[in-house]
Amino acid sequence: MTEFIEYSVRADDTSDSGPTLSTIGGELYIGWTGENNHFVNIMPIVRLPDGQMYFDGERKAILSNRAGGGPALCPSEVAGEGALVWAVDNPQGELNGIIGATLNGNLNETRELVSFEWTDHSPAAELWVKEVNVAWTGSNNLQINCAPLTWEDSGWTFSSARKSISTETTPYEPALSWRPAPNRMYVGWTGEGDHELNLMYCQGLDWGTPQRRTDFDRGTKRTFAEYSDGGPAIRVQAATMIFLYRGSGNENLNLLRVDLDDGSVIAKNISGHLSSYRPAITGLDGVKYVAWTGLDDHLYVGRVARDMA
């Protein structure tokens, strides 16, 4: 076991699902579903010059929306600098796209968008140049679905006509991460039945292309001899993909780095920190941060050692 989390902080807040982690305007934000009440929460994490961190509870926002699983959070440049976009699945299983947040720290909910898509798990969201892509596991069929949220004069729209449905299946949450060069959107997932980690991508098209879709190419699929009892979180760093996931047969957090060009495994590290749910990972100022719900149901955020990410 090689610990990759060099520093972590524990929140007073609790959840009965995995959190989400994202950055906007030079700040780190954590989002989660409140334990017992299932309201969606968002809170900044302050990073101090000496490397320490703390949860800024005075700026925590509790939305009026409930979620049946953990939310997904990502920045959205098209809604204005500092906007946050996340998607949640409510207790009825209907996938929702929610718009909110500004740079000044007043995380106000500005608009709700109901997609009329259904899922039994938490969704994923990732900004792809001009659009936010949302991925989810289909209700009852376990197929990976993906569709963009687009900004129009009338507001946000969920482009169901541009939805793609993969033949790949997962019993857990899928994950998304964009690689700017080359222009590719990656989806990572834990396979149905074998619980093995998988990865494939959609090659980006010109933005003027009519009815552009996020169609993931099964010909690009790579499978790694690593296993999980939950959905992974993924994050691109240059030519490396980082997987963060709970182990198979245990609840240890695992960090796997793979080469995106040749598919080889660069390194794997196992943490002593434990979680029953999907963790989250993001990057800010050249540093990787992770978040998870501990076995005590409290939220944690940690900093990954630079030589391990």
Side-chain angles (χ1 to χ4, degrees):
M1 183 179 298
T2 307
E3 183 61 63
F4 57 87
I5 300 174
E6 64 178 10
Y7 172 81
S8 63
V9 290
R10 176 181 182 266
D12 292 333
D13 300 274
T14 58
S15 179
D16 51 13
S17 60
T20 183
L21 197 64
S22 189
T23 63
I24 192 70
E27 283 197 280
L28 193 62
Y29 290 87
I30 186 171
W32 73 96
T33 301
E35 188 175 24
N36 300 321
N37 62 30
H38 285 187
F39 283 109
V40 177
N41 295 249
I42 304 175
M43 182 165 57
I45 299 161
V46 177
R47 302 175 302 150
L48 298 175
D50 62 1
Q52 297 188 61
M53 299 182 290
Y54 68 88
F55 294 91
D56 191 352
E58 293 185 358
R59 294 165 59 196
K60 180 175 74 172
I62 303 176
L63 307 186
S64 59
N65 303 89
R66 294 176 182 266
L73 182 66
C74 76
S76 174
E77 296 175 351
V78 294
E81 186 179 9
L84 295 171
V85 175
W86 63 97
V88 302
D89 56 330
N90 64 33
Q92 288 73 42
E94 188 173 335
L95 190 68
N96 293 267
I98 308 296
I99 315 303
T102 58
L103 269 178
N104 61 15
N106 297 322
L107 300 175
N108 297 318
E109 181 182 354
T110 60
R111 188 185 301 270
E112 179 176 347
L113 175 69
V114 179
S115 69
F116 301 107
E117 298 289 344
W118 300 82
T119 182
D120 299 320
H121 300 279
S122 303
E126 175 79 339
L127 180 67
W128 192 357
V129 184
K130 296 181 180 180
E131 295 178 328
V132 172
N133 275 244
V134 180
W136 68 96
T137 302
S139 181
N140 300 320
N141 59 29
L142 301 185
Q143 289 174 285
I144 297 173
N145 293 249
C146 190
L149 290 173
T150 58
W151 177 258
E152 299 177 358
D153 292 340
S154 58
W156 287 97
T157 60
F158 190 93
S159 302
S160 295
R162 293 164 58 195
K163 180 177 74 173
S164 64
I165 304 176
S166 174
T167 56
E168 298 292 341
T169 58
T170 177
Y172 306 114
E173 310 93 336
L176 293 174
S177 189
W178 174 50
R179 184 182 183 186
N183 181 21
R184 293 172 179 171
M185 178 67 78
Y186 284 84
V187 61
W189 74 98
T190 300
E192 181 185 9
D194 59 14
H195 286 205
E196 195 167 7
L197 296 182
N198 299 266
L199 190 70
M200 63 181 175
Y201 65 80
C202 171
Q203 183 67 51
L205 302 175
D206 293 335
W207 287 101
T209 302
Q211 296 300 304
R212 178 185 173 281
R213 290 161 54 99
T214 309
D215 284 317
F216 292 104
D217 182 0
R218 292 188 73 238
T220 68
K221 176 182 173 182
R222 284 173 173 162
T223 301
F224 310 97
E226 298 293 338
Y227 305 88
S228 177
D229 291 336
I234 62 174
R235 184 58 44 191
V236 170
Q237 178 176 287
T240 300
M241 179 65 76
I242 302 172
F243 282 84
L244 180 69
Y245 56 99
R246 58 164 294 189
S248 178
N250 62 74
E251 295 173 307
N252 294 83
L253 296 181
N254 290 247
L255 190 77
L256 180 73
R257 288 178 289 162
V258 299
D259 189 304
L260 287 175
D261 294 327
D262 62 19
S264 63
V265 172
I266 299 171
K268 176 185 175 181
N269 301 101
I270 303 175
S271 172
H273 294 284
L274 307 174
S275 180
S276 299
Y277 308 104
R278 178 175 72 169
I281 184 170
T282 193
L284 182 61
D285 297 332
V287 179
K288 292 296 181 290
Y289 296 92
V290 296
W292 69 96
T293 302
L295 299 187
D296 58 1
D297 292 338
H298 283 266
L299 299 170
Y300 292 80
V301 169
R303 185 177 61 244
V304 179
R306 286 182 179 269
D307 61 348
M308 294 186 182

